[in-house]
Amino acid sequence: MPIKDWPADERPREKLLLRGAQSLSDAELLAIFLRTGTRGKTAVDLARELLHDFNGLRALFEAEEAQFCQANGLGQAKFVQMQAVLEMSRRYLRERLKRGDVLSDPDAVRLYLLAKLRDQPAEVFACVFLDNRHRVIAFEELFFGTIDSASIYPREVVRRVMKHNAAAVIFAHNHPSGVAEPSQADERITQKLKDALALLDVRVLDHFVIGDQVVSFAERGLL
């Protein structure tokens, strides 16, 4: 049965307008993005098939262009649209992060860092530079490593802190394995950076490890 013949409160678009986007399933949200189905399949049917074939939304979002375009009902135009949607979401999170004191909206920090770092194929060490009111000055990816580790140089971190005239920082790095548990090496380098920045009277507010989840050093009592 075509979606237009479904009860109004079951059609994805109408359901979104009536109950909000959070009420929709992954398949219903994807169906709105797809707009149309294929021969013999509604957009919702096609969305369910794609989620099954890709094993979920995240894998679909991360798919390379060739893999994405080969899937039934997709193509280069949809790939371009998907990349645009993902980039808009990252920019929205960045703007939300920059609006005010990061300590008053810690979820904004987590979501932004998760969006920036979770899907990196190799380890990336990044820093959020803050002023004395804990407002964001800049975000920079500073060091890039292999699948296992990144070489982090305190002298370079100090140099970037001085360039931005930052009063505080938040560190973040990803674990490509998806396991966000801090390692002993993570703890050691965090302490070295904290000691180096203390000489400049710059506070380390937190260090987030990004995997399938986000782990906070501050919440773990590791700072």
Side-chain angles (χ1 to χ4, degrees):
M1 181 189 297
I3 290 177
K4 64 183 178 64
D5 294 333
W6 293 8
D9 62 352
E10 293 182 12
R11 300 174 206 157
R13 293 180 187 177
E14 286 78 359
K15 185 176 176 181
L16 185 150
L17 292 172
L18 184 65
R19 304 179 190 172
Q22 70 279 0
S23 69
L24 272 64
S25 67
D26 289 352
E28 289 170 328
L29 289 168
L30 183 57
I32 291 176
F33 171 80
L34 294 171
R35 297 181 61 188
T36 61
T38 56
R39 185 183 296 273
K41 294 179 182 176
T42 67
V44 174
D45 293 331
L46 177 58
R48 289 173 180 152
E49 181 180 283
L50 289 168
L51 291 172
H52 177 269
D53 292 345
F54 281 89
N55 195 29
L57 277 176
R58 181 177 173 186
L60 177 63
F61 292 162
E62 295 174 5
E64 297 290 338
E65 181 180 355
Q67 181 190 12
F68 185 97
C69 293
Q70 286 173 1
N72 185 30
L74 300 179
Q76 191 173 61
K78 283 287 189 291
F79 180 78
V80 170
Q81 291 173 23
M82 181 70 75
Q83 297 309 306
V85 168
L86 292 173
E87 182 58 26
M88 283 191 292
S89 69
R90 295 187 192 102
R91 295 186 186 189
Y92 160 74
L93 291 171
R94 183 175 64 205
E95 289 182 14
R96 178 179 166 189
L97 186 63
K98 286 186 173 181
R99 277 204 293 264
D101 180 350
V102 299
L103 297 184
S104 68
D105 193 1
D107 287 342
V109 182
R110 289 173 181 268
L111 288 171
Y112 178 70
L113 294 174
L114 193 65
K116 291 290 291 185
L117 300 177
R118 181 179 63 181
D119 299 324
Q120 296 278 5
E123 194 163 308
V124 178
F125 183 92
C127 184
V128 182
F129 300 92
L130 309 166
D131 65 15
N132 58 7
R133 294 175 61 184
H134 296 157
R135 296 173 302 187
V136 175
I137 299 171
F139 167 86
E140 290 186 3
E141 296 177 356
L142 298 177
F143 306 108
F144 304 86
T146 65
I147 194 79
D148 296 314
S149 63
S151 296
I152 299 167
Y153 303 100
R155 181 180 297 178
E156 178 62 16
V157 175
V158 168
R159 189 178 74 83
R160 301 307 298 169
V161 165
M162 294 179 67
K163 179 182 184 300
H164 291 295
N165 194 28
V169 294
I170 294 173
F171 297 127
H173 78 282
N174 64 310
H175 283 178
S177 66
V179 179
E181 193 65 27
S183 67
Q184 290 185 349
D186 294 338
E187 293 183 34
R188 286 195 298 270
I189 190 60
T190 302
Q191 189 59 51
K192 286 181 66 175
L193 291 170
K194 184 179 176 182
D195 291 343
L197 293 174
L199 298 175
L200 302 175
D201 200 25
V202 173
R203 293 183 60 203
V204 177
L205 300 183
D206 211 335
H207 185 165
F208 291 106
V209 183
I210 312 296
D212 292 331
Q213 298 178 323
V214 180
V215 171
S216 160
F217 270 53
E219 290 177 0
R220 289 281 187 92
L222 297 175
L223 283 180

